[in-house]
Amino acid sequence: MTKALEGVKVLDFTHVQSGPTCTQLLAWFGADVIKVEKSGEGDATRGQLRDIPDADSLYFTMLNHNKRSITVNTKTPEGKSILDRLIKECDVLVENFAPGALDRMGFTWERIQELNPGMILASVKGFGPGPYEDCKVYENVAQCAGGSASTTGFDDGPPMVTGAQIGDSGTGLHLALGIVTALYQRTHTGRGQKVLAAMQDAVLNLCRVKLRDQQRLDRNGTMQEYPQFPNGHFGEAVPRAGNASGGGQPGWILKCKGWETDPNSYIYVVVQAPVWEAICKVIGREDWITDSNYSSPMARLPRLMSVFAEIEKWTMTLSKFEVMNILNQYDVPCGPILSMKEIAEEPSLRATGTVVEVDHPIRGKYLTVGNPIKLSDSETVVTRSPLLGEHTDEILSELGFSTDELIAFRHKKVI
């Protein structure tokens, strides 16, 4: 079985999380990803948040599977000649340097096109063109600037960031799609092009329902599915909505049996019109089926919190899994709050390759996420991340450098 991106060569100048997420996804689909690192140091995340001394951190290993590593001193003439050959040989160059860094290295877009007119130059930046384009951005900065933090949390509390890495990993996923799209367009035009994914843009794309709500709020001054309705206050901007659903279907997180000692003994329950009667019967409130205050979705809107409070009386008598099993018999949308420990130990996620155990020569076995996208004709096999410079000789030999040249490069600290 061939891989979807077999034959595609990617020159990976990325570091930390956003760029490596992108290039790892391309590697999972079969691209040959060559990670360029600085001799003796490498990607900064190799040493960040270490749990085993002198071993690459989980931060690094979980973002750099299926890649090859080459170390090059790009400040030397010989190092630049190596990069010249790599650019000529590769299809894609991915970078998440600070703005202008690639130009300062001598590899402007014009120079790259001169070396390889078909090259796809893909970049992650914090902001797109505008007043903030030169600003440095990290995950939580992107969440704040992209609209996520202002709309996350409860109305009586401060803005909050989410545990999901929508700024870094989310941008990497967007960039990967842009690269594959550019590669497809190249099959028709023969030309390369630049691909840009700005972290602010990616976060906003994932927060599009809140931009939708801003326009609804501007027009009507209120939003009936938000917990602030009918007695709370709506200002000029979309408020924080607690655990309310962003899709117009009322939902909330409810306590389950054992919540006093287990911080994850909760379940999310969605109260949809088609299953309202079933919910009423399950919780012992059949009177609500015909009660005009509760019988229609519009009548329930101003009473949602009392509805969820009544459902919670029932969920607190059962475990989250018991609640889920019962409600799923009636097609009530619901989901248990799963801890990372529960997810790590879930057999079905191992079976589908969503969670994978990988063996590393220094740190031993560890768990990582696998490819979240499954292709029927291109199975993903997750291999370990490379050691620093592990494939330097192999890659340089493929580029046509002789053994004597490799020895000279080492003598001059080029590699």
Side-chain angles (χ1 to χ4, degrees):
M1 184 184 295
T2 59
K3 301 293 184 181
L5 295 181
E6 191 170 307
V8 174
K9 284 194 171 185
V10 178
L11 188 54
D12 184 0
F13 271 106
T14 70
H15 54 284
V16 191
Q17 185 177 165
S18 57
T21 297
C22 168
T23 52
Q24 178 173 258
L25 191 61
L26 300 177
W28 278 341
F29 285 132
D32 178 14
V33 176
I34 300 171
K35 187 175 180 71
V36 180
E37 301 186 77
K38 187 176 181 180
S39 300
E41 297 180 23
D43 190 315
T45 58
R46 284 185 183 269
Q48 288 182 358
L49 305 175
R50 274 196 171 120
D51 57 319
I52 299 175
D54 302 321
D56 288 333
S57 71
L58 288 167
Y59 196 5
F60 175 84
T61 58
M62 293 176 71
L63 286 161
N64 291 281
H65 294 109
N66 296 60
K67 302 178 184 180
R68 297 195 289 170
S69 171
I70 179 175
T71 53
V72 181
N73 182 351
T74 58
K75 294 181 179 180
T76 63
E78 295 87 350
K80 292 187 186 301
S81 72
I82 291 172
L83 293 187
D84 281 352
R85 289 204 202 181
L86 282 168
I87 290 171
K88 289 177 181 178
E89 291 291 322
C90 290
D91 302 282
V92 182
L93 190 158
V94 190
E95 59 92 15
N96 61 339
F97 292 128
L102 203 59
D103 291 355
R104 291 191 293 273
M105 290 171 58
F107 292 95
T108 62
W109 171 235
E110 291 72 25
R111 173 61 176 158
I112 290 171
Q113 284 187 304
E114 179 184 325
L115 292 167
N116 184 350
M119 173 66 78
I120 309 297
L121 173 59
S123 303
V124 171
K125 293 291 177 273
F127 294 95
Y132 306 115
E133 60 184 301
D134 293 329
C135 296
K136 193 170 186 177
V137 174
Y138 287 106
E139 169 65 45
N140 290 348
V141 175
Q143 288 193 31
C144 293
S148 175
S150 70
T151 56
T152 301
F154 288 88
D155 196 37
D156 58 354
M160 294 188 69
V161 296
T162 174
Q165 303 289 281
I166 61 175
D168 276 325
S169 288
T171 305
L173 294 171
H174 281 82
L175 187 65
L177 175 60
I179 290 169
V180 172
T181 303
L183 285 170
Y184 178 77
Q185 187 173 16
R186 193 180 70 176
T187 64
H188 300 290
T189 66
R191 298 193 307 273
Q193 61 180 295
K194 292 190 285 186
V195 180
L196 170 66
M199 294 172 71
Q200 181 187 40
D201 298 358
V203 171
L204 177 57
N205 187 45
L206 296 173
C207 293
R208 68 184 69 179
V209 297
K210 300 301 182 180
L211 184 59
R212 171 205 67 190
D213 290 348
Q214 182 62 52
Q215 295 169 86
R216 294 171 58 227
L217 181 63
D218 289 342
R219 184 166 290 113
N220 301 319
T222 185
M223 292 180 289
Q224 294 180 330
E225 79 285 0
Y226 272 60
Q228 288 82 357
F229 177 82
N231 300 316
H233 171 72
F234 285 94
E236 293 183 345
V238 174
R240 292 180 275 287
N243 292 315
S245 168
Q249 299 294 341
W252 205 255
I253 291 178
L254 307 176
K255 298 172 183 174
C256 293
K257 188 176 182 179
W259 68 272
E260 300 92 340
T261 56
D262 182 355
N264 295 298
S265 188
Y266 291 82
I267 191 165
Y268 196 92
V269 178
V270 178
V271 179
Q272 285 183 308
V275 295
W276 174 244
E277 288 191 20
I279 291 174
C280 292
K281 291 176 181 178
V282 166
I283 68 173
R285 290 305 307 261
E286 290 91 340
D287 58 302
W288 278 355
I289 297 173
T290 55
D291 187 333
S292 60
N293 289 323
Y294 296 93
S295 57
S296 72
M298 289 304 295
R300 289 192 292 275
L301 280 176
R303 301 172 176 84
L304 280 178
M305 298 319 294
S306 64
V307 168
F308 286 120
E310 197 70 16
I311 297 173
E312 190 173 59
K313 292 179 183 177
W314 173 72
T315 61
M316 288 172 65
T317 67
L318 302 165
S319 74
K320 60 189 178 185
F321 297 110
E322 290 171 333
V323 173
M324 187 176 181
N325 289 336
I326 292 170
L327 292 183
N328 270 284
Q329 295 177 36
Y330 303 97
D331 293 326
V332 177
C334 61
I337 307 304
L338 296 180
S339 69
M340 277 298 152
K341 182 174 176 58
E342 288 170 314
I343 289 172
E345 295 173 353
E346 172 54 49
S348 65
L349 296 178
R350 303 283 188 99
T352 59
T354 300
V355 174
V356 181
E357 186 176 74
V358 179
D359 198 4
H360 189 275
I362 298 176
R363 68 164 30 260
K365 295 184 183 298
Y366 66 95
L367 289 184
T368 185
V369 295
N371 194 341
I373 304 169
K374 276 59 172 183
L375 301 184
S376 62
D377 281 359
S378 184
E379 181 183 358
T380 297
V381 177
V382 176
T383 60
R384 68 169 175 83
S385 59
L387 302 177
L388 179 60
E390 180 177 353
H391 305 94
T392 299
D393 287 1
E394 175 182 281
I395 293 167
L396 292 180
S397 296
E398 292 171 359
L399 292 173
F401 289 101
S402 67
T403 301
D404 289 342
E405 286 176 303
L406 298 188
I407 293 172
F409 287 158
R410 281 200 166 77
H411 180 72
K412 294 182 179 180
K413 300 187 185 311
V414 175
I415 57 177

